[in-house]
Amino acid sequence: MRLAAGADLILPEQSDAELYTVFSGWLFRYKELNDGRRQILNFALPGDLIGLQAALFEKSFYGVTALTDVELCVIPRRKLWRLFERMPEVAYDVTWLGAQSEAMVDENLLTVGRRNAAERIVALVASLYKRMDLLGGLREGAMDFPLTQQHIADALGLSLVHTNKTLAKLRVAGLFTVADGRLTVANPRGVGRFARYFETPIAPRPIL
């Protein structure tokens, strides 16, 4: 299926959400407080699994929105148990992707809880850069970067003003540049050291 940028894939409290893998494009998963404050839980890139919790429980505890135009592969929730019964190898791959998504959320929680503002932003950059590298999405050290400052603020528990000021300081430091929807990282190792982001190599992921 195809979805335009800004469209909702899964709504909070939705009771009929399906299970998806991302074929192309970016999405983000989020939760909101009653007053509208939003926490972005993670960003989904090609190959990632979306909706496992929503498909297993009676309703979704989060929302998912397309950050760019996206294409998705659909695994109907009514057929999910059939995967475990008849195709255990594919079911294992689904479980692996779900665990990998949980690991990314754990890293984001560490970032929000223990890294300072500059480290948070650089850790986010390091994570997305590494994931795009694995996907073959880098061109001369640069990648597409559709995030706005509001997305960054909502993902990292920062105010928009603090995010803007911190990004300005990081531009001066020369760790990375963002321009015209592109992110360029001149020194990936330096970025990792600055953010104290030393994620172990990711195992080869299954493709669904």
Side-chain angles (χ1 to χ4, degrees), residues 55-76:
L56 289 174
F57 296 116
E58 293 183 359
K59 61 182 180 179
S60 173
F61 300 114
Y62 52 78
V64 180
T65 299
L67 188 57
T68 67
D69 292 346
V70 296
E71 292 181 284
L72 303 126
C73 303
V74 185
I75 303 174

Side-chain angles (χ1 to χ4, degrees), residues 32-133:
E32 281 185 333
L33 295 176
N34 292 336
D35 60 6
R37 283 178 291 172
R38 180 179 70 180
Q39 177 67 45
I40 291 179
L41 304 171
N42 67 303
F43 296 98
L45 305 182
D48 288 343
L49 186 72
I50 296 176
L52 182 59
Q53 292 178 10
L56 289 174
F57 296 116
E58 293 183 359
K59 61 182 180 179
S60 173
F61 300 114
Y62 52 78
V64 180
T65 299
L67 188 57
T68 67
D69 292 346
V70 296
E71 292 181 284
L72 303 126
C73 303
V74 185
I75 303 174
R77 61 184 294 157
R78 68 182 183 278
K79 295 183 178 180
L80 183 57
W81 288 115
R82 197 177 304 171
L83 275 182
F84 287 86
E85 292 173 350
R86 302 182 182 180
M87 304 175 70
E89 292 183 357
V90 177
Y92 177 85
D93 289 344
V94 168
T95 305
W96 190 99
L97 289 169
Q100 178 64 25
S101 178
E102 182 179 354
M104 287 189 287
V105 174
D106 289 349
E107 182 66 31
N108 293 345
L109 180 59
L110 172 63
T111 290
V112 172
R114 291 303 175 189
R115 291 183 170 105
N116 63 39
E119 289 171 344
R120 291 182 199 184
I121 292 175
V122 179
L124 176 63
V125 166
S127 172
L128 293 172
Y129 186 87
K130 180 174 182 179
R131 290 169 65 189
M132 287 303 294
D133 188 19

Side-chain angles (χ1 to χ4, degrees), residues 32 79 109 129 164 167 182 194 207:
E32 281 185 333
K79 295 183 178 180
L109 180 59
Y129 186 87
N164 181 275
L167 281 168
R182 298 280 290 173
F194 183 95
I207 298 176

Side-chain angles (χ1 to χ4, degrees), residues 169-185:
K169 293 178 181 178
L170 291 171
R171 279 195 293 270
V172 174
L175 289 171
F176 60 87
T177 58
V178 178
D180 300 323
R182 298 280 290 173
L183 167 73
T184 303
V185 178

